[in-house]
Amino acid sequence: MVTIFALTVFFIIWRPFGINESIPTSIAAACILLLGIVPFKDVLTIFETVSGASITILSTIVMSIVLESIGFFRWAAINLALKSRGSGVLLFWYIILLCFLMTLFFNNDGSILITTPIIIQTLSLLRLKPAQQVPYLISGALVATAASAPIGVSNLANLIALKIVGLDLNAYATMMFVPSMVGIACIAVLLYVYFKKDIPITFQNHSKPKDLNNLLSEYPTKKLSHPLAAKTLGQENIDWKMFRICIGVVVLTRISFFALAPFGIPTEWPAIIGAILLIMIRWYKKKIGAKDILKKSPWHILLFAFSMYVIIYGLHNVGLTAVIVDELGGAVAKDPFYAIFITGMLLTVLSNVCNNLPSIMIGTFSIKEMGLSLQTMQVAYLANVIGADIGSLILPMGTLATLLWFYTLRQYKIPMNWGKYLRVTLFVIPVSLALSLLSLYVWTTYFVF
Amino acid sequence: MISIFLVLLTSGFLLYKFLRPPNALHSAENTGETVKQKPVLDLHPQIQPNVKPIDPAFLQHHFMKKSIKSMANTNE
């Protein structure tokens, strides 16, 4: 079982010939089911656990695909270039803010895939060389990935684990928003301190982009265009009404997750309705059908989440979680402080060794088996999330989003390697992780419970 | 719950600010015009080219007595 798990993780990270990550997980899950490690009777229960979370994330991705197809994100690069007013420091903070917001309203993987080309476009507009772009790109990627912690709906793993421990979205946000924001703020400040010398004070070649036409005339080169963009800038009329309606649908969908949770309405319903609304608006205004959505949507997410859960369930059945429970259960049960720091650190190590998606499931299974009080179990789970969303950023293989980011940089020929990445993360992540965990303890002990 | 609503509304407004087409394009909303690329020769709109057409009679008078060869020599 451990060999199957190790091979699966190896193939997810390596992805030979660019194979989809759901292929190794599906093969491993099929082997586990055929070997009887997970009985077939549990398949339906597993499907019920993962399907809601997967559909929610899938719907969010569909929303971003629809918005991308109508050129919703095409102005972001120009806006960043204009708003920074020739200041490298201002641009740094705007990029951090944009990456945070994109993850808050979409999800971490989608945010990385959308914002990385936007940042590269902005920096190319401002004529920064590829090596000068690195501080902005790393900072954006780290914040975009960590930003999936404050609300539970920005990350597939968080949503699945949320269901396992029986927390609702509002309770999650009440306990988690402040501590994870402290962690994200710490990451941003430390990144600024680390890159302060590398960030240009002003842009020499494009010190004050006064005229939008100057930017537009430089913009529509093939190199700078977004991979999913249909047309270049300035080639078609802007439908302002449609733009405002679309952003309204995105924000309302997010709000309805929290508004409908107390009535027991699962997150997938508002997510599906939001996605359908956007598809209908696009059809009404642009007369574009849903064919491209069917083609571009990552339907394999459902299979990936299901297969990964089967694998972790298999590890649980052969006694891996029992080992964790035996070794750490006593210490975790002592006090919420121990629970937070032990589970947070455990998840950091596990995520960096074998990716955060399986790790958070292993961690959550273990917590459930430890026989903790409800309060301790909930804070231990939240510490799990901090370990999986922030602690996992030390190594690139810690999260799927970071691996996607590396892949995107290679496409744009931006010089980046694991050594460069590790030097930054070792400076930024351990301190931010410790501060987040401490904030979680202080916040939940003195303000929530 | 109200706090998370406020956070999401404020964040949504900020996201709108980042993603919306820039202010310079806002005037295109009423006219329905697209943004024009900057022309290669960007003259100030009030500057008019001060060029008068040459009187054909003057040209005839000036050149009719000269041979091609002499015009070439004087670089006319």
Side-chain angles (χ1 to χ4, degrees):
Chain A
M1 183 59 227
V2 175
T3 313
I4 292 174
F5 176 67
L7 278 173
T8 310
V9 172
F10 176 72
F11 278 106
I12 289 173
I13 292 164
W14 180 30
R15 290 174 70 184
F17 313 109
I19 58 162
N20 194 289
E21 61 270 13
S22 60
I23 294 173
T25 48
S26 308
I27 294 169
C31 291
I32 290 164
L33 287 169
L34 287 172
L35 289 169
I37 300 169
V38 173
F40 275 99
K41 65 179 174 59
D42 290 343
V43 166
L44 197 65
T45 318
I46 293 172
F47 189 77
E48 278 174 6
T49 311
V50 298
S51 60
S54 310
I55 290 168
T56 306
I57 295 293
L58 195 60
S59 305
T60 314
I61 295 172
V62 166
M63 287 171 88
S64 61
I65 291 171
V66 175
L67 294 173
E68 186 81 67
S69 72
I70 56 169
F72 196 75
F73 303 112
R74 72 174 57 178
W75 304 103
I78 295 276
N79 279 331
L80 281 172
L82 288 173
K83 281 178 194 293
S84 62
R85 286 176 283 162
S87 162
V89 177
L90 211 52
L91 180 68
F92 175 85
W93 290 108
Y94 278 137
I95 285 175
I96 294 275
L97 186 60
L98 176 69
C99 291
F100 170 76
L101 293 172
M102 287 295 286
T103 305
L104 201 67
F105 283 97
F106 297 97
N107 66 327
N108 56 347
D109 299 334
S111 171
I112 287 279
L113 284 173
I114 294 167
T115 53
T116 307
I118 289 173
I119 298 169
I120 294 171
Q121 284 166 11
T122 310
L123 302 173
S124 303
L125 275 175
L126 297 168
R127 295 173 191 170
L128 265 72
K129 290 171 189 160
Q132 291 177 303
Q133 300 182 1
V134 168
Y136 296 99
L137 287 163
I138 286 194
S139 308
L142 291 183
V143 170
T145 315
S148 60
I151 59 172
V153 280
S154 305
N155 190 325
L156 178 66
N158 292 1
L159 266 176
I160 294 173
L162 201 72
K163 189 154 187 180
I164 299 172
V165 293
L167 258 177
D168 83 356
L169 273 180
N170 288 302
Y172 176 97
T174 307
M175 290 191 268
M176 191 64 162
F177 192 82
V178 173
S180 54
M181 284 308 292
V182 170
I184 293 165
C186 183
I187 289 174
V189 171
L190 287 177
L191 281 167
Y192 179 68
V193 171
Y194 187 89
F195 286 121
K196 203 176 176 183
K197 285 179 193 165
D198 302 318
I199 295 171
I201 297 166
T202 54
F203 301 115
Q204 286 177 348
N205 296 324
H206 215 302
S207 56
K208 284 180 183 172
K210 287 178 260 183
D211 190 352
L212 178 66
N213 277 338
N214 285 340
L215 288 176
L216 287 179
S217 59
E218 291 170 18
Y219 191 86
T221 60
K222 199 177 177 185
K223 189 186 164 199
L224 294 179
S225 65
H226 199 281
L228 298 173
K231 282 185 177 178
T232 53
L233 290 167
Q235 282 186 349
E236 60 178 339
N237 287 327
I238 299 155
D239 192 337
W240 291 83
K241 200 174 170 186
M242 182 178 170
F243 189 88
R244 287 180 191 133
I245 292 171
C246 287
I247 194 98
V249 170
V250 171
V251 175
L252 280 176
T253 305
R254 233 37 177 181
I255 288 177
S256 59
F257 287 155
F258 296 90
L260 299 176
F263 304 104
I265 296 171
T267 51
E268 55 267 33
W269 288 112
I272 291 170
I273 291 168
I276 290 173
L277 265 177
L278 282 184
I279 293 170
M280 283 170 69
I281 292 166
R282 187 181 73 156
W283 176 79
Y284 180 72
K285 289 275 187 182
K286 302 256 178 186
K287 304 287 175 233
I288 305 170
K291 206 175 169 183
D292 62 321
I293 307 294
L294 292 172
K295 274 186 190 170
K296 285 182 184 173
S297 297
W299 301 106
H300 63 269
I301 281 182
L302 204 61
L303 186 63
F304 175 69
F306 173 78
S307 311
M308 189 53 92
Y309 198 94
V310 170
I311 297 166
I312 304 304
Y313 208 71
L315 282 173
H316 169 70
N317 285 356
V318 296
L320 177 91
T321 50
V323 174
I324 296 172
V325 173
D326 291 342
E327 293 294 322
L328 303 172
V332 170
K334 243 188 224 174
D335 179 64
F337 183 83
Y338 287 101
I340 287 170
F341 273 85
I342 290 170
T343 52
M345 293 300 170
L346 172 73
L347 252 289
T348 299
V349 174
L350 274 178
S351 298
N352 282 292
V353 173
C354 60
N355 193 275
N356 66 350
L357 185 73
S359 302
I360 198 164
M361 290 185 187
I362 293 172
T364 312
F365 268 120
S366 308
I367 290 167
K368 281 225 33 161
E369 298 289 312
M370 282 177 188
L372 306 169
S373 66
L374 184 67
Q375 182 187 335
T376 312
M377 188 181 79
Q378 286 180 345
V379 292
Y381 159 70
L382 296 174
N384 255 355
V385 173
I386 290 177
D389 290 356
I390 295 178
S392 63
L393 293 171
I394 293 174
L395 286 177
M397 61 194 226
T399 73
L400 213 56
T402 328
L403 291 170
L404 284 172
W405 177 73
F406 262 88
Y407 175 73
T408 312
L409 291 195
R410 269 201 299 277
Q411 282 186 319
Y412 281 89
K413 296 188 173 63
I414 306 284
M416 175 54 66
N417 55 46
W418 280 39
K420 265 187 202 173
Y421 178 87
L422 204 60
R423 275 197 292 277
V424 181
T425 53
L426 282 176
F427 178 76
V428 172
I429 299 302
V431 179
S432 309
L433 174 71
L435 200 64
S436 296
L437 294 174
L438 188 65
S439 309
L440 178 65
Y441 174 70
V442 173
W443 179 252
T444 50
T445 311
Y446 298 103
F447 297 96
V448 177
F449 291 119
Chain B
M1 197 201 286
I2 291 165
S3 321
I4 195 76
F5 286 177
L6 288 174
V7 166
L8 287 172
L9 279 174
T10 315
S11 306
F13 178 70
L14 286 173
L15 189 66
Y16 168 72
K17 285 274 190 189
F18 271 115
L19 298 180
R20 72 171 185 176
N23 277 337
L25 303 178
H26 223 282
S27 56
E29 186 177 18
N30 299 327
T31 59
E33 288 176 4
T34 55
V35 177
K36 287 172 186 167
Q37 299 287 307
K38 193 177 181 180
V40 177
L41 179 63
D42 196 9
L43 288 174
H44 191 279
Q46 287 180 343
I47 295 173
Q48 296 297 322
N50 189 19
V51 181
K52 289 178 185 170
I54 300 169
D55 183 9
F58 168 76
L59 285 175
Q60 198 177 22
H61 173 76
H62 185 72
F63 290 112
M64 74 185 292
K65 290 176 187 169
K66 293 191 175 183
S67 67
I68 300 291
K69 197 177 174 184
S70 68
M71 282 165 73
N73 286 339
T74 56
N75 201 25
E76 284 186 75

